[in-house]
Amino acid sequence: MELSNIYAYLIDLFKTIYPSFIETIYMVFFSTLFATILGLPLGIILVITSKGHICENVKLNRILSTIVNIARSVPFIILIIAIFPLSRIIVGTTIGSTAAIVPLSIAACPFVARIVESCLLEVNWGIIEASLSMGATTMQIIFKVIIRESMPSLILGITLTIINILGYSAMAGAIGGGGLGDLAIRYGYQRFQTDVLIATILVLIILVEIIQHTGNLLSKIFDKR
């Protein structure tokens, strides 16, 4: 193949993948944002209401923990179908990248809550106890002690969430969610265009590498220990 033909081929491949790449970034960004907004406070409540913690409430803790477990036990592909009506109410459609943000956010929310819970429980109880003895309020302990101390772990946890949502977004493509998953299915599976399928996989691998390295770097920057 001549060099000019190779160049033209790569340009065509880029034009095919680029719109789906932008759709995936759009879905992953807003899904991570909404999942964090919902999951972060849920994870904090799970920690501070646990037995022996600063706002112990075992009954509330058990109820929230059960809800989180139930939400996490539903496979994502089933969850998308189950909440089609909710997606239609919120964004007016069940097809496309905007519609996919609804199930992606809901699926990732309990995952974020458990990650936040795990990170916050790593904070040394002696530091919290010292803050209590100095008269710190509950909000001060949460935001100035627990979250600050666990920031490196939280960043790594959110990084893991972003990578998981990226994987979920590819699955959403199977039922019209758009993005790279949809592209891989339409071209790689339905049209037997293996080159597009391989290019899509490479883009996803590169995206995961960039996300993970960025997360590791930010975690080191915020780690003051």
Side-chain angles (χ1 to χ4, degrees):
M1 187 181 290
E2 295 180 7
L3 191 61
S4 59
N5 289 338
I6 294 174
Y7 180 73
Y9 167 76
L10 291 175
I11 292 292
D12 285 342
L13 192 60
F14 175 79
K15 286 179 179 175
T16 302
I17 293 176
Y18 183 71
S20 299
F21 172 76
I22 296 299
E23 281 182 359
T24 294
I25 296 296
Y26 167 71
M27 282 192 290
V28 171
F29 176 79
F30 282 102
S31 300
T32 303
L33 179 65
F34 295 136
T36 304
I37 289 172
L38 296 171
L40 181 62
L42 186 55
I44 292 171
I45 294 170
L46 281 170
V47 171
I48 63 174
T49 58
S50 61
K51 191 173 178 57
H53 219 285
I54 56 175
C55 295
E56 181 180 327
N57 187 331
V58 177
K59 192 175 180 181
L60 175 63
N61 186 277
R62 283 178 182 165
I63 292 171
L64 289 178
S65 185
T66 302
I67 292 171
V68 168
N69 288 342
I70 291 171
R72 288 189 64 193
S73 64
V74 181
F76 178 65
I77 198 75
I78 296 174
L79 180 70
I80 298 178
I81 298 167
I83 61 174
F84 266 167
L86 181 63
S87 300
R88 188 176 287 112
I89 290 170
I90 295 175
V91 298
T93 179
T94 59
I95 298 173
S97 51
T98 300
I101 290 173
V102 178
L104 284 171
S105 303
I106 292 174
C109 174
F111 184 74
V112 172
R114 283 300 183 202
I115 283 180
V116 169
E117 181 189 21
S118 174
C119 294
L120 300 192
L121 285 174
E122 289 177 3
V123 177
N124 191 326
W125 178 251
I127 300 173
I128 299 171
E129 206 166 30
S131 304
L132 283 169
S133 66
M134 287 187 286
T137 63
T138 300
M139 298 304 283
Q140 285 174 329
I141 292 173
I142 291 171
F143 290 102
K144 295 187 176 180
V145 178
I146 299 177
I147 290 182
R148 183 175 291 180
E149 286 292 320
S150 59
M151 189 57 78
S153 299
L154 283 173
I155 290 171
L156 290 177
I158 297 300
T159 302
L160 185 62
T161 302
I162 296 170
I163 292 171
N164 269 355
I165 289 177
L166 183 63
Y168 286 160
S169 74
M171 276 193 274
I175 52 173
L180 291 168
D182 176 56
L183 181 76
I185 291 166
R186 279 190 293 115
Y187 283 79
Y189 179 67
Q190 295 173 348
R191 302 182 189 179
F192 303 104
Q193 286 186 244
T194 309
D195 54 340
V196 177
L197 178 63
I198 292 172
T200 304
I201 293 169
L202 287 175
V203 170
L204 286 170
I205 291 171
I206 293 168
L207 263 178
V208 169
E209 285 294 317
I210 292 171
I211 292 166
Q212 188 62 62
H213 282 292
T214 305
N216 291 345
L217 180 64
L218 288 173
S219 176
K220 285 179 183 175
I221 291 171
F222 280 89
D223 191 355
K224 305 299 180 187
R225 290 169 289 185

